[in-house]
Amino acid sequence: MGQALGCVQVDQSNVAIKEHFGKFADVLEPGCHCLPWCLGYQIAGGLSLRVQQLDVKCETKTKDNVFVNVVASVQYRAVADKASDAFYRLTNTREQIQSYVFDVIRASVPKLELDAVFEQKNDIAKAVEEELEKAMSMYGYQIVQTLIVDIEPDVNVKRAMNEINAAARMRLAANEKAEAEKILQIKKAEGEAESKYLSGLGIARQRQAIVDGLRDSVLAFSENVPGTTAKDVMDMVLVTQYFDTMKEIGASSKSSSVFIPHGPGAVRNIAVQIRDGLLQGNAANL
């Protein structure tokens, strides 16, 4: 805004306050205006219509007695139609806005606990904006937007909150790890049980096959060799198994020393012992 030879230039997004002998006369819009200063006209001052921002840091206490610093960002601008009110009715606009912000925050935050302050910061910002809009409109200012940009508790409180959060996460991790180990143990036990079950089925089928083979051998031998009985055939089978076992023990290079009675009488004694055991088992089952 400049003045020369009675002409005044008002820049864009600004207005000028025109006075006549010290009394408000008019609001000058952006552009060039004739101002005959010799007739008592003068420019009292200018006013920007741009959106301005004021950051207000307010310390207050929550309901659970925790001191916090709340930072509110207020965006405001002067209204062109009320430029005279904005220019004459307020001496310091920023201090006026700051006072209202302090009043609303210190009235709202003490009703809330610390966690609720973080959760309801938008409600706090809305309350500040409504109060400012109601108070500043009569002075020719419009509140564009109000934001709560930061809520900072005391350093010790913040450290304690972080430790609580870390402990909760560690506890959750421990529970998850224990649950995973439990599942692994269950699956391992189920696998072992299934393995033993299948192994038992295999052994049972193997023994059944051996019994079926022996039965077929006894029947075939009895039919081909007249005069032989099932007992004679079983004795021969036992002798054959005995010599096969002796052969395997001798052929194994890693076998430990085994002392067993050997001779024709020993084979007979083994056969008698096996038959007696089978008979005792059958009698016990009956």
Side-chain angles (χ1 to χ4, degrees):
M1 182 169 56
Q3 180 175 354
L5 301 177
C7 293
V8 175
Q9 174 186 316
V10 180
D11 297 332
Q12 185 65 34
S13 299
N14 289 272
V15 292
I17 305 300
K18 177 182 176 182
E19 291 182 348
H20 185 221
F21 291 112
K23 182 180 179 180
F24 171 73
D26 195 8
V27 175
L28 302 182
E29 301 289 339
C32 184
H33 300 273
C34 181
L35 190 71
W37 55 269
C38 57
L39 298 179
Y41 291 98
Q42 64 175 358
I43 298 297
L47 194 65
S48 174
L49 301 181
R50 296 184 180 92
V51 175
Q52 303 179 60
Q53 179 167 310
L54 173 64
D55 292 330
V56 181
K57 185 175 183 179
C58 176
E59 184 180 16
T60 184
K61 184 177 72 170
T62 63
K63 187 177 181 180
D64 46 354
N65 296 322
V66 177
F67 282 91
V68 294
N69 288 316
V70 181
V71 179
S73 180
V74 181
Q75 298 173 356
Y76 66 97
R77 68 181 182 89
V79 181
D81 295 339
K82 298 182 179 181
S84 60
D85 292 334
F87 184 80
Y88 288 106
R89 300 189 64 180
L90 281 181
T91 303
N92 192 322
T93 306
R94 300 175 72 88
E95 287 187 1
Q96 186 79 6
I97 293 175
Q98 180 174 304
S99 298
Y100 280 106
V101 172
F102 280 172
D103 181 66
V104 176
I105 290 179
R106 287 174 176 170
S108 302
V109 173
K111 299 177 183 178
L112 304 172
E113 294 185 354
L114 181 59
D115 292 339
V117 173
F118 284 94
E119 295 172 358
Q120 302 182 27
K121 70 173 187 176
N122 291 335
D123 296 336
I124 298 173
K126 185 177 180 180
V128 173
E129 182 175 342
E130 291 176 352
E131 185 67 21
L132 283 175
E133 184 67 31
K134 183 172 60 176
M136 299 301 294
S137 61
M138 67 178 65
Y139 298 115
Y141 283 92
Q142 176 189 2
I143 304 302
V144 179
Q145 192 172 17
T146 302
L147 302 172
I148 301 297
V149 296
D150 192 18
I151 300 173
E152 185 177 357
D154 182 75
V155 177
N156 295 328
V157 175
K158 187 186 297 186
R159 185 184 300 111
M161 292 175 65
N162 291 335
E163 290 177 355
I164 292 172
N165 190 24
R169 293 182 180 276
M170 291 179 63
R171 182 169 62 251
L172 180 61
N175 291 336
E176 293 295 335
K177 182 179 179 180
E179 189 67 23
E181 292 179 352
K182 176 182 176 182
I183 294 174
L184 288 176
Q185 293 294 332
I186 292 174
K187 293 299 182 182
K188 182 179 179 181
E190 291 177 352
E192 292 179 353
E194 184 69 16
S195 176
K196 291 180 180 179
Y197 172 74
L198 295 176
S199 177
L201 287 179
I203 293 174
R205 290 174 181 174
Q206 179 185 11
R207 291 176 178 175
Q208 183 64 39
I210 293 174
V211 171
D212 293 341
L214 289 175
R215 182 182 65 246
D216 295 340
S217 298
V218 170
L219 293 175
F221 193 86
S222 299
E223 292 175 357
N224 295 327
V225 181
T228 59
T229 63
K231 176 179 178 301
D232 297 332
V233 176
M234 289 302 299
D235 289 340
M236 186 186 68
V237 171
L238 288 174
V239 171
T240 303
Q241 292 293 330
Y242 175 79
F243 281 109
D244 289 341
T245 302
M246 294 294 294
K247 180 180 177 181
E248 291 178 0
I249 293 175
S252 178
S253 60
K254 296 181 180 180
S255 299
S256 301
S257 298
V258 179
F259 297 94
I260 56 175
H262 179 63
V267 176
R268 180 180 179 184
N269 290 336
I270 292 173
V272 172
Q273 291 175 9
I274 293 175
R275 281 196 300 272
D276 291 344
L278 292 174
L279 292 175
Q280 290 176 4
N282 291 332
N285 293 332
L286 296 176

